[in-house]
């Protein structure tokens, strides 16, 4: 579903948030000053994250991206995907995120962190410093004609 190599991904992690459960704002990728963050894994930095919502709290529990002022509220069986690194391998500041407190109910999530090694042909560097994907799996070619679920500009 990500078009990325999974051989260098970390094991699936599962988390449970009960009433009041939250996670402070953070990045999933290692920042420049964290030079040895994933050195022992030998797989490079975390290029992308997939967050699976396995349950849906009645109130609260949203995932917020603090820099872009965006919130996603969990819906059971949905998945949220984002790239942690720009195509030039720099950390993307827009990916700073947090888990809001669960107010009523419980929230079960699982996440998959995908690393850089092995992605050279699956997510090549851009031709310009500011080049970004238009949709998940964009390798720089034309946008799919008959796949609106892959488009960055879905039809209304």
């Amino acid at each position: 579903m990500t078009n990325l190599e999974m051989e260098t991904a970390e094991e699936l992690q599962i988390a449970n948030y009960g009433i009041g459960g939250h996670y402070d704002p953070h990045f999933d990728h290692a920042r420049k000053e964290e030079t040895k963050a994933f050195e022992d894994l030998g797989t490079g930095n975390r290029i992308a994250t997939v967050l699976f919502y396995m349950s849906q709290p009645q109130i609260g529990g949203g995932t917020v991206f603090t820099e872009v002022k965006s919130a996603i509220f969990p819906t059971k069986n949905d998945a949220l995907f984002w790239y942690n690194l720009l195509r030039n391998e720099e950390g993307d500041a827009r990916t700073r995120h947090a888990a809001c407190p669960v107010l009523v109910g419980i929230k079960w999530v699982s996440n998959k962190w995908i690393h850089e090694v092995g992605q050279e042909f699956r997510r090549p560097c851009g031709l310009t410093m500011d080049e970004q994907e238009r949709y998940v799996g964009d390798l720089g070619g034309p946008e799919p004609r008959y796949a609106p679920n892959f488009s960055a500009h879905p039809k209304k």
Side-chain angles (χ1 to χ4, degrees):
M1 78 182 249
T2 65
N3 198 37
L4 295 172
E5 176 61 52
M6 300 309 277
E7 288 294 316
T8 58
E10 294 178 44
E11 295 294 323
L12 192 66
Q13 177 180 319
I14 297 174
N16 173 264
Y17 297 87
I19 301 295
H22 68 283
Y23 206 98
D24 290 338
H26 64 283
F27 294 103
D28 286 350
H29 65 276
R31 291 169 291 162
K32 282 186 177 184
E33 62 271 14
E34 300 170 315
T35 56
K36 297 182 188 252
F38 302 113
E39 186 176 61
D40 58 329
L41 296 177
T43 55
N45 207 344
R46 290 176 175 161
I47 195 171
T49 297
V50 184
L51 178 63
F52 300 96
Y53 295 111
M54 302 183 324
S55 70
Q56 181 174 334
Q58 287 90 347
I59 302 174
T63 302
V64 296
F65 288 84
T66 59
E67 303 305 306
V68 295
K69 298 177 178 29
S70 175
I72 296 88
F73 294 93
T75 301
K76 184 177 180 177
N77 299 326
D78 277 355
L80 184 59
F81 173 88
W82 66 90
Y83 288 107
N84 295 307
L85 304 178
L86 300 171
R87 288 184 83 138
N88 64 5
E89 298 182 353
E90 296 289 323
D92 189 340
R94 298 171 299 174
T95 66
R96 185 173 184 260
H97 63 284
C100 292
V102 172
L103 302 177
V104 176
I106 60 168
K107 174 180 154 184
W108 283 92
V109 296
S110 58
N111 63 327
K112 190 77 168 172
W113 288 309
I114 305 165
H115 285 256
E116 291 177 291
V117 172
Q119 311 304 342
E120 296 82 0
F121 297 106
R122 294 186 178 261
R123 189 183 189 232
C125 294
L127 297 176
T128 63
M129 292 297 284
D130 61 345
E131 188 172 340
Q132 298 177 27
E133 285 82 8
R134 294 168 293 154
Y135 52 89
V136 174
D138 177 14
L139 295 177
E143 189 167 315
R145 252 183 115 164
Y146 301 107
N149 56 324
F150 291 143
S151 176
H153 309 288
K155 295 179 182 176
K156 295 183 182 194

